[in-house]
Amino acid sequence: MAQNLDKGIDQKALHDTLSAFGNILSCKVATDSSGQSKGYGFVQYDNEEAAKKAIEKLNGMLVNDKQVYVGPFLHKQERETALDNSKFNNVFVKNLSESASEEDLQNIFGEFGPITSVVVMKDAEGKSKCFGFVNFENPDDAARSVEALNGKKFEEKEWYVGKVQKKPERESELKHRFEQTVKEVSEKNQGTNLYIKNLDDGIDDDKHKELFELPLVQSHHVRDVHIYIIS
C-alpha cells in the first residue's frame, strides 16, 4: 500500500517503479468517486522474494521529497490486532521466592508508575505459588517495568516479567516455539531421538505422532506490498 502519494503518481507510474523488483500480478492506486487519488495504493507480486526485495530497497527512500514506507500488506483486522497486542496494562511475574509478598511487588513495580492492583497467587494452604500479577494504570509504565525487570535477580531468583497473554496468544506462541524447536533439532540432529517434556496430559501417543507428522513450519508468504509515504 502507498499512502500520501503525489497526485502525479498513477497506477502506471507505481507499476513502472515497482516492476523493477519482479513480476507484478496487480497494481492499484485507490481513487475517490471523482477519480482523484486517495494517496495510497497496493502492489501484488507473483512471489515472496520480489516483495521482500522491493521492501528492502525502497523502504525509507525519498520519492518526490517524501519519505516512503514500504512493507507487507496487512488487512484491517491484522493491523488492529497488532496495535492491540502492542499495548498492555497487566504484567505477569514468575519465579518469585516463596517469601516475596504483594507489598514487595508493590514497592518494586511502583517505581515505574501508578498501580491499580497487585496479587501473589497462593494455594489452598496459603503458600505462595511463586508467581503473581501487577496491573498498571498506564500501558507505558507496564512496558517499562517489563523491559527493566525481566531477567533481574531478587533473592537469588531470576524473575520472568512479561505481558499477560490471552489463551490464544499463549497457544500461538507455544506452537511457534514448538515448531521452531522441532525444526532446529531435526536439522542439527538427523536420525537421533528427541526428548520432549512439559507436554499437556491430553497429548497421547496418537496425538504425539500426529504433531510430529505435521509440516515443521508453515511459512507465511509475503507477496502483497504495503507502502506508506510520510510527509
Side-chain angles (χ1 to χ4, degrees):
M1 179 178 179
Q3 186 173 351
N4 197 31
L5 289 172
D6 186 273
K7 298 295 183 182
I9 298 180
D10 56 13
Q11 287 182 191
K12 184 178 185 304
L14 188 61
H15 185 283
D16 290 347
T17 300
L18 294 173
S19 62
F21 303 101
N23 186 42
I24 292 176
L25 297 178
S26 64
C27 177
K28 180 180 180 181
V29 172
T31 57
D32 59 23
S33 57
S34 65
Q36 287 289 322
S37 170
K38 289 184 177 181
Y40 63 90
F42 304 89
V43 176
Q44 183 181 25
Y45 288 95
D46 68 352
N47 67 82
E48 181 181 8
E49 191 60 35
K52 287 183 176 180
K53 192 181 300 182
I55 292 169
E56 179 183 349
K57 297 295 183 182
L58 294 181
N59 188 35
M61 289 186 64
L62 292 177
V63 177
N64 292 350
D65 297 323
K66 294 180 179 181
Q67 187 177 12
V68 180
Y69 165 78
V70 184
F73 170 75
L74 295 176
H75 292 284
K76 182 180 179 181
Q77 185 176 356
E78 293 175 312
R79 295 196 299 271
E80 291 174 346
T81 299
L83 181 61
D84 290 342
N85 289 343
S86 67
K87 295 289 186 180
F88 60 94
N89 294 72
N90 206 5
V91 173
F92 171 64
V93 52
K94 70 176 181 178
N95 204 30
L96 300 171
S97 67
E98 291 187 5
S99 63
S101 66
E102 292 175 357
E103 184 179 357
D104 292 331
L105 296 189
Q106 178 75 48
N107 291 335
I108 293 171
F109 283 89
E111 296 181 3
F112 299 93
I115 291 173
T116 58
S117 65
V118 176
V119 61
V120 172
M121 302 304 294
K122 298 178 181 179
D123 61 22
E125 298 177 354
K127 184 178 178 181
S128 173
K129 292 184 176 181
C130 299
F131 70 90
F133 302 90
V134 181
N135 197 72
F136 285 87
E137 285 185 5
N138 190 317
D140 292 335
D141 295 337
R144 289 193 301 112
S145 75
V146 169
E147 183 177 353
L149 297 178
N150 186 40
K152 284 289 185 69
K153 281 192 175 182
F154 295 89
E155 298 182 19
E156 302 303 315
K157 291 279 192 175
E158 184 176 313
W159 283 9
Y160 168 83
V161 182
K163 168 191 172 185
V164 173
Q165 294 180 311
K166 297 177 182 178
K167 185 177 180 180
E169 293 176 313
R170 294 196 305 272
E171 290 176 344
S172 176
E173 181 176 338
L174 288 172
K175 179 182 178 183
H176 175 71
R177 289 181 181 177
F178 177 78
E179 289 174 342
Q180 284 297 111
T181 300
V182 174
K183 179 173 182 287
E184 291 170 4
V185 171
S186 177
E187 290 174 348
K188 295 179 181 179
N189 302 287
Q190 291 287 342
T192 62
N193 292 323
L194 179 63
Y195 169 64
I196 304 292
K197 68 176 183 178
N198 202 31
L199 288 174
D200 187 274
D201 292 338
I203 298 180
D204 56 17
D205 288 345
D206 291 337
K207 183 63 176 176
H208 194 195
K209 181 179 179 182
E210 178 186 339
L211 285 171
F212 280 87
E213 287 176 343
L214 291 173
L216 294 180
V217 176
Q218 296 178 359
S219 60
H220 300 279
H221 296 293
V222 179
R223 296 188 181 183
D224 295 340
V225 176
H226 193 180
I227 307 171
Y228 289 97
I229 294 188
I230 305 169
S231 300

